Amino acid sequence: MNAPTPRGLLPGLLRTVRTYPRRSPLTFGYVVLLLLGHVWVEDLLSADRADALRDHISTNLDNLHDHPVTALFGSALLFDGTLTEVLTTGFGSTLITLGLGVCCCLSWAERRFGGLRAAAVFLGGHIGATLITAAVILLALRHGWYPESVRQASDYGISYGAQTVLALAVLAVPRRARLPWAAFIVAWPLSGGDWPGPLPDFTTVGHLLAAALGFALAAAVALTTARRRRAEARAPADVRR
């Protein structure tokens, strides 16, 4: 007996792609902006100017001290990865951060919570994880756990914000899949991280902090939803009408 073919799968996928800009306009616009920025930096700028731009928007300690607003917001306009070198870890990171994190999870957050709240979650994760990581770096430098060169390290991109919405999206997966999903969110930055001392490298720290912010927000949303449902269940029938 031949296995049944998923006749509705392809039409459903095409319908999802076709309606994506209408259902998730903020995410769609952001993805277009990221792709245009990637092409501009990687293909149109000279190598020297591209490197200078990346250095200027990196959220390292020196830039956060000198021009924090430009570094924080400029960093969120580029992604640190590749779209063409499919056999590299950079492409894998792009699939997770841009593909799964922004295209899928930020889109889901926009549809569930609205565009402004989804943007606040993403930017809150990006900025919050960056600033907390900066404090961790200062502590690590004081104890000699990181080299002084970390003050000027290159650190730009969307991955902290993407990590936050990836963690928040634990609410979107079935209950039985939530623990594996959370394990994946924590494991993927650890899999490529280095341990120069008691702490992993600062980008791994940043990803773990961003995930913690997302999980905390997911827990708060779940708790609020549960309390509202209990209150509705206790309300008199005529009030619920």
Side-chain angles (χ1 to χ4, degrees), residues 211-234:
L213 293 173
F215 288 138
L217 183 56
V221 171
L223 182 60
T224 301
T225 302
R227 286 177 174 172
R228 184 174 65 248
R229 288 175 178 172
R230 287 196 297 268
E232 291 173 352
R234 290 195 299 266

Side-chain angles (χ1 to χ4, degrees), residues 35-46 49-50 53 78:
L35 292 175
L36 290 175
H38 184 77
V39 171
W40 176 54
V41 172
E42 298 296 328
D43 299 326
L44 300 180
L45 288 182
S46 66
R49 294 187 65 184
L53 175 63
L78 293 177

Side-chain angles (χ1 to χ4, degrees), residues 137-200:
I137 292 173
L138 288 172
L139 177 65
L141 286 172
R142 188 173 301 132
H143 289 83
W145 297 337
Y146 288 163
E148 284 292 326
S149 59
V150 76
R151 293 180 177 275
Q152 300 88 29
S154 178
D155 183 28
Y156 68 91
I158 62 173
S159 58
Y160 291 173
Q163 184 80 338
T164 301
V165 292
L166 280 165
L168 177 63
V170 71
L171 296 173
V173 301
R175 288 185 179 274
R176 64 181 179 275
R178 288 181 178 178
L179 184 57
W181 179 265
F184 163 72
I185 301 305
V186 172
W188 86 263
L190 284 171
S191 64
D194 296 323
W195 290 77
L199 295 176

Side-chain angles (χ1 to χ4, degrees), residues 59-116:
T59 53
N60 54 47
L61 292 183
D62 285 357
N63 285 352
L64 288 175
H65 179 268
D66 183 61
H67 48 274
V69 175
T70 300
L72 286 168
F73 286 94
S75 177
L77 297 178
L78 293 177
F79 62 90
D80 183 15
T82 177
L83 293 171
T84 55
E85 300 173 6
V86 296
L87 298 180
T88 64
T89 57
F91 185 75
S93 295
T94 300
L95 287 179
I96 294 173
T97 57
L98 179 61
L100 190 57
V102 175
C103 294
C104 296
C105 294
L106 183 59
S107 174
W108 164 81
E110 181 179 1
R111 293 194 304 273
R112 174 160 179 178
F113 303 108
L116 291 179

